[in-house]
Each structure stands twice: as structure tokens, then as C-alpha cells.
Amino acid sequence: MSELRFVHLGFGADAVEYQEAWQEQRRVHAARFADEAPDTCLLLEHPPVYTAGRRTADDERPLDGTPVVDVDRGGKITWHGPGQLVGYPILKLPRPVDVVAHVRRLEEALLLTCAEFGLEATRVEGRSGVWVLGDPVEERRALGGLNLDFDPRVADEEFDPRLNGPEYAPSNAGQRREDRKLAQIGVRVAKGVTMHGFSLNCNPDTTWFDRIVPCGIRDAGVTSLSEELGRDISVAEVVPVIEKHLRTVMESAVPLPRAV
């Protein structure tokens, strides 16, 4: 791939409204397709917002009717907001276009970023994004003194943590020693050029995720760099680190001849 350019759209008090950033994505996407702009990664924070990918089910949305922005990316519903670093890499993919390989490259850059801060994160088969693994189910402590045989998450595919008290909330997954998601990935590829991208939880209020079924996953939760490391890790600290690893990983992707 060509050299990757980074554009800071806004952080903190200058966080960018989701619709405004989406419009900027479309503008840069058109320019990249026309070779009027280089490969570009937009980095930013959003004010609090829920966004839903094409596969989001109705029962995964907020129960209280909180507005959700429906978007044209893959994946399901998630939250963006303060303390979360959002990246929108708008890249012309190598030929033949391989969307899964693009997602794996994003995961790799995120994993390298976590490792640089001293956190061992990983992939989970069948689930995109970056994860911190919990204990095996048989080793997790029971909730409320109950045996895990009675834990509704084990046997009920329709279990909704929002209806069963805060101890089951996604934000409390660390206390339950469950798998917990640290970074979300949802992409779209149009005309061989990517849109949307990733969000990495640095130091957000993760209880925002408790209103939804994050990414449609009911048997795991969410976390952040700060929660896992026990110290405050700001978005500003993470930006130069993710830029370094994204540049290394993305620029190493080798273009191939167009398939005939």
C-alpha cells in the first residue's frame, strides 16, 4: 500500500459528531477512489452515540429507546464516546480485495498497540476485534453465591444482561472474569476502498455499553486499557502509538495483480 497519512479530526472538547465524521469519510473515500488523495486514516473522538451495523437485531438496541444511528458498515451495534479512540482508515486495498485480511491487519495494529502499553490482548476465533481473555467457564466464581449451572448466560441463548441486574452488565465482565472486548472493528469496502474502521477503549465510561448488547454478544463484556492496566491511559497517549503500528502494518500489505 502507499504511505499512510493521518488526519486528526478532533478530540476531547473538539470531539466530532458522528454524522459530520461520516460525511468526511465519504468525501475522503471518493477522493481516494479517484486517486486524488493518498491512503488516509481519520483519528478522532465522538460525543456519546450508539451506531448499528447492518446485522443489528432489534433486541440488541437500547431498551429505553435511546436514538441509534444506523450505518452501512458490517457488524452490529456499539457505542462511541469520550475516552475512546476511533480510527477510520480509508485505504485502497491490494488486489484481489480481501476484506478479512484488512480486518486482520487492523487487529494486528491494535494488538501491537496494547502490547506496547504492557497489556496482553488477543483475537477470539469467530469474533472480530481485540479481546482480553477471561478464565475458563468452570473456573469463574459464581454470582450471588449461585452455582454456575444456574447462570443464565450459560444455557439461554436469548439471555439479556440488561434485564438481570448490574452484576451481569457488560461493563462488569472483568469482575466476572469473562472475556471482554477492548477494541471493536466494523468496516465497509466500496469500489476497493475501505470505510469505517476501529474503536479502542482507552479510558471511557464503559457503563454506556450496558444499555445495549455490544456487538450482539451476550456471553462476554467490554473493558478498556485503563481498567485492565489499573492506571489512566488517555486517548492522547494512545494516538502516536496506534499511528506507528498502523503505518507499519498497513504499509507492509503487498499489492497483487488483479485476478483475471
Side-chain angles (χ1 to χ4, degrees):
M1 290 185 184
S2 63
E3 184 175 349
L4 183 58
R5 173 185 67 159
F6 291 94
V7 175
H8 297 178
L9 289 189
F11 303 97
D14 297 318
V16 184
E17 292 289 344
Y18 188 84
Q19 295 285 5
E20 180 184 342
W22 195 5
Q23 182 60 36
E24 179 64 7
Q25 281 195 74
R26 289 190 283 256
R27 186 192 69 78
V28 177
H29 182 278
R32 183 66 191 99
F33 174 71
D35 288 326
E36 296 170 354
D39 286 338
T40 301
C41 182
L42 309 177
L43 293 175
L44 62 148
E45 280 179 274
H46 286 303
V49 62
Y50 294 103
T51 70
R54 293 185 297 263
R55 296 189 299 110
T56 302
D58 288 343
D59 62 359
E60 295 162 354
R61 296 169 180 264
L63 292 174
D64 60 3
T66 299
V68 175
V69 178
D70 289 283
V71 295
D72 57 356
R73 61 167 170 78
K76 294 198 170 192
I77 191 167
T78 192
W79 171 84
H80 299 307
Q84 183 189 76
L85 175 58
V86 175
Y88 297 130
I90 302 172
L91 317 172
K92 186 168 284 190
L93 290 184
R95 296 287 184 172
V97 170
D98 187 337
V99 179
V100 174
H102 173 61
V103 171
R104 295 294 170 264
R105 287 191 289 268
L106 292 178
E107 289 172 345
E108 182 65 19
L110 290 161
L111 288 167
L112 290 169
T113 297
C114 293
E116 186 156 333
F117 281 95
L119 176 61
E120 181 181 356
T122 189
R123 296 179 174 91
V124 170
E125 186 175 355
R127 294 179 169 179
S128 66
V130 170
W131 294 80
V132 176
L133 294 182
D135 297 334
V137 170
E138 61 273 12
E139 296 179 12
R140 296 175 193 164
R141 64 179 180 223
L143 297 173
L146 294 177
N147 186 285
L148 277 173
D149 291 341
F150 297 98
D151 188 332
R153 292 162 298 165
V154 175
D156 186 358
E157 293 183 358
E158 297 303 318
F159 170 74
D160 192 332
R162 298 167 296 181
L163 301 177
N164 288 268
E167 65 270 24
Y168 292 106
S171 62
N172 286 331
Q175 296 179 34
R176 298 191 300 268
R177 305 307 303 163
E178 291 180 344
D179 293 353
R180 44 214 183 268
K181 201 169 195 179
L182 181 65
Q184 300 75 231
I185 294 176
V187 303
R188 178 180 182 228
V189 179
K191 302 177 180 178
V193 179
T194 65
M195 290 183 69
H196 303 289
F198 67 87
S199 54
L200 174 60
N201 297 332
C202 302
N203 58 353
D205 175 2
T206 54
T207 61
W208 281 95
F209 289 96
D210 295 346
R211 294 189 186 183
I212 59 175
V213 181
C215 302
I217 297 173
R218 300 174 187 272
D219 61 349
V222 295
T223 191
S224 68
L225 285 172
S226 296
E227 289 178 18
E228 295 298 326
L229 294 171
R231 57 189 176 91
D232 187 56
I233 306 292
S234 69
V235 168
E237 288 180 78
V238 178
V239 166
V241 181
I242 192 68
E243 286 184 354
K244 176 179 68 174
H245 293 300
L246 277 171
R247 179 173 282 116
T248 299
V249 172
M250 293 303 178
E251 291 180 3
S252 67
V254 179
L256 299 174
R258 181 188 296 269
V260 177

